[in-house]
Amino acid sequence: VAVEVVPETGSTNADLMERAAALDAPLLLVAEHQTAGRGRAGRSWLSAPGDSLTFSLAWKFDAPLQQLAGMPLAVGVALADALAACGVQVQLKWPNDVLKDGSKLAGVLIETQSGAGGIWAVIGIGMNLRMPDEMEARIGRTVAAAPWLAQMDRDQLMATLLDSLAAALAEFSRSGFGAFSARWNRLHAWQGRTVAVLDRGATLYEGLAAGVDDSGRLLLDCAEGRMTVLAGDVSLRTR
Ligand code: ATP
Ligand code: BTN
């Protein structure tokens, strides 16, 4: 995978969304600093130079499009594997978060773009290495950091993450999310806990989180029976 590193940009996801149509091979774009980082559902992603990793991987999506919903979950498994290899144990929150000790260490934002050769997935990852107090105050909730990773060689850390991601994405294209569901469920942060599924703040469902199925849908045991929740712009909260 070709790698480009830039000192500063608005958003690596925005950059690769613009360039995806013209790409003919996967590309990893790493920014030392992002000034307009994007989160899910139109939120912003804050990061300080040197204290975080912000990067995006443009990857040709050659699996059936209905498999897309499982992609952020497969990426979560790949990140958890790479972090474990670096000595950091994490858990996964459906659909797209990496948690450490219950708060958010990393987020995944996947956007798609169609180009001449087909559909490209732009897989954006933001990971907190250190979290300055004033930035946490601006985010407005407790977030996790991994100072141990901040002490590692950055190129080595990025190489470990990229290897794991590329292997997982190749497996995902071949076999779909089914190849990841058991591993995802072992890493599930909120298994058996009561959770609420929120859409712009409003509770859609509440139930016991029972892991994910082979398509990456969240299984929720509610009073009315078992529900399957598709990943969309919904958020989970524990109750
Ligand atoms: P999601 O559905 O993406 O998990 P959420 O509302 O459940 O969203 P939380 O992890 O509970 O997310 O809250 C964190 C919020 O702060 C999110 O909107 C997240 O995008 C935002 N945020 C911005 N910068 C950071 C950062 N560096 N680390 C963690 N969260 C951040
Ligand atoms: C989320 O949890 O809301 C997703 C956060 C994704 C942030 C990363 S940082 C690199 C890439 N570029 C962006 O603008 N966003 C993603």
Side-chain angles (χ1 to χ4, degrees), residues 10-14 34 36-40 43 45 53-56 96-97 104 106-109 124-126:
S11 154
T12 54
N13 257 50
Q34 273 192 160
R38 298 182 186 174
R40 283 207 320 145
R43 291 187 286 259
W45 183 262
L53 291 181
T54 47
F55 60 95
S56 301
N96 72 321
D97 292 353
K104 187 152 165 173
V108 178
L109 174 68
I125 294 163

Side-chain angles (χ1 to χ4, degrees), residues 61-70 112 119:
F61 189 77
D62 37 34
L65 205 57
Q66 69 267 24
Q67 282 186 23
L68 197 62
T112 54
I119 304 232

Side-chain angles (χ1 to χ4, degrees), residues 74-123:
V75 166
V77 171
L79 293 174
D81 286 349
L83 290 170
C86 297
V88 176
Q89 303 304 323
V90 296
Q91 291 79 44
L92 301 176
K93 173 188 163 191
W94 187 89
N96 72 321
D97 292 353
V98 177
L99 306 186
K100 181 171 161 284
D101 305 323
S103 33
K104 187 152 165 173
L105 177 71
V108 178
L109 174 68
I110 299 185
E111 300 179 270
T112 54
Q113 181 68 278
S114 48
I119 304 232
W120 287 80
V122 174
I123 302 156

Side-chain angles (χ1 to χ4, degrees), residues 138-170:
R138 271 201 286 152
I139 294 169
R141 54 169 58 233
T142 307
V143 301
W148 162 247
L149 296 179
Q151 284 160 27
M152 276 182 68
D153 179 78
R154 268 176 102 78
D155 294 344
Q156 183 60 53
L157 176 56
M158 273 306 312
T160 304
L161 291 167
L162 179 58
D163 282 353
S164 182
L165 280 169
L169 289 166

